[in-house]
């Protein structure tokens, strides 16, 4: 793949990430923000004895311009990174076309980058978590994410190497099982963090975590569909339509 194609795919990846970010922003605003507001209300109702802190950024600004800026910038950034990964994966992960490769890549990235770390260290709303342990919690989460991504890459490589001996189906099953076993060991060995207050509403916690998962699924799924279409039009352009009134050259 030449540099011009890579550059074009990179631009299309960033545009697809931006488009997916717009869709995810709608989901975050209507599905996620009400849960955040409820969690903040719970936190404020249990903080009467503490001195009220002045907000540097108002809640209304956080839930509108701040939310939009964060999601859209994230969409553009991950779209560019995913496009570069797509350039490497295209033609190397099976006989998939541009659209199918984009969906496969986005689905794998969603699983490795978000779902696997999420199952061990799920997202928490305001009022959940000790401020003194935020550094430890962030480190463990990113450690789980890096481990998941590296294991996903290793599973793909192992599957390709086993395919000539076991066949595609059994090689894929073996690679997936190996990935699941090592991730299970990581879940068991890494420390568990449970700082949810005993009186925090379980329903609110459940809704918040589901909304966080829905936002990421929308972002990655939207990217896969949008980028797959853009990549398909670049890599496999439709032939120019022949006008019915065009003169047909006489045979020589």
């Amino acid at each position: 793949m030449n540099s011009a194609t890579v550059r074009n795919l990179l631009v299309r990846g960033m545009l697809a990430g931006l488009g997916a970010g717009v869709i995810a922003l709608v989901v975050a605003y209507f599905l996620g923000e009400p849960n955040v507001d409820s969690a903040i209300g719970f936190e404020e109702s249990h903080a009467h004895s503490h001195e009220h802190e002045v907000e540097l950024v108002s809640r209304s600004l956080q839930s509108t311009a701040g939310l939009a800026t964060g999601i859209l910038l994230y969409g553009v950034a991950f779209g560019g990174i995913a496009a570069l990964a797509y350039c490497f994966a295209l033609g190397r992960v099976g006989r998939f076309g541009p659209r199918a490769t984009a969906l496969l890549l986005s689905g794998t990235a969603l699983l490795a980058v978000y779902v696997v770390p999420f199952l061990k260290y799920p997202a928490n709303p305001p009022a959940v978590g000790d401020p003194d342990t935020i550094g430890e919690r962030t480190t463990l989460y990113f450690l789980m994410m890096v481990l998941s991504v590296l294991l996903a890459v290793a599973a793909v490589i192992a599957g390709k190497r086993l395919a000539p001996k076991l066949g595609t189906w059994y090689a894929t099953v073996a690679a997936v099982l190996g990935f699941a076993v090592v991730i299970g060991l990581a879940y068991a060995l890494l420390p568990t963090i449970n700082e949810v207050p005993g009186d925090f509403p379980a329903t609110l916690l459940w809704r918040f975590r589901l909304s966080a998962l829905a936002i990421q699924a929308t972002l990655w799924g939207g990217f896969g569909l949008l980028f797959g279409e853009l990549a398909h039009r670049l890599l496999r352009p439709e032939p120019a339509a022949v006008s019915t009134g065009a003169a047909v050259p006489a045979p020589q």
Side-chain angles (χ1 to χ4, degrees):
M1 187 176 294
N2 58 51
S3 59
T5 303
V6 172
R7 183 173 62 253
N8 288 330
L9 285 173
L10 175 62
V11 173
R12 283 164 172 77
M14 296 173 71
L15 290 175
L18 179 62
V22 172
I23 303 172
L25 176 61
V26 175
V27 176
Y29 185 78
F30 289 103
L31 188 61
E33 285 303 306
N35 297 319
V36 175
D37 289 336
S38 299
I40 291 175
F42 174 87
E43 184 178 32
E44 291 177 348
S45 66
H46 289 69
H48 296 303
S49 59
H50 299 284
E51 184 180 353
H52 179 70
E53 296 182 358
V54 179
E55 290 184 338
L56 297 179
V57 180
S58 67
R59 173 63 189 143
S60 61
L61 185 60
Q62 293 175 17
S63 62
T64 53
L67 179 67
T69 301
I71 290 181
L72 295 181
L73 287 179
Y74 176 75
V76 172
F78 97 78
I81 296 173
L84 294 178
Y86 178 88
C87 294
F88 176 79
L90 187 63
R92 293 186 172 91
V93 292
R95 297 179 180 179
F96 298 104
R99 291 174 180 147
T101 301
L103 285 175
L104 179 63
L105 176 66
S106 61
T108 303
L110 173 64
L111 177 68
V113 175
Y114 189 78
V115 174
V116 170
F118 177 87
L119 293 177
K120 176 64 177 177
Y121 301 112
N124 287 325
V128 173
D130 183 356
D132 294 335
T133 64
I134 187 171
E136 178 186 0
R137 287 184 280 122
T138 302
T139 300
L140 288 172
Y141 180 85
F142 278 101
L143 176 62
M144 190 72 239
M145 183 176 67
V146 171
L147 179 62
S148 175
V149 171
L150 292 178
L151 287 175
V153 173
V156 172
I157 295 174
K160 288 182 66 66
R161 292 186 176 180
L162 290 173
K165 298 179 181 179
L166 303 180
T168 302
W169 171 254
Y170 289 108
T172 302
V173 171
V176 170
L177 286 177
F179 175 83
V181 168
V182 179
I183 287 296
L185 290 174
Y187 281 178
L189 295 176
L190 288 175
T192 300
I193 296 177
N194 184 13
E195 298 178 346
V196 180
D199 57 345
F200 191 87
T203 303
L204 176 57
L205 180 63
W206 176 248
R207 289 202 311 264
F208 177 86
R209 289 176 174 174
L210 278 182
S211 64
L213 184 59
I215 293 167
Q216 291 293 326
T218 302
L219 191 64
W220 287 98
F223 171 79
L225 291 172
L226 292 173
F227 181 66
E229 184 62 29
L230 294 175
H232 178 82
R233 294 187 180 189
L234 173 68
L235 300 173
R236 296 184 179 178
E238 296 294 335
V242 179
S243 175
T244 55
V248 179
Q252 299 294 331

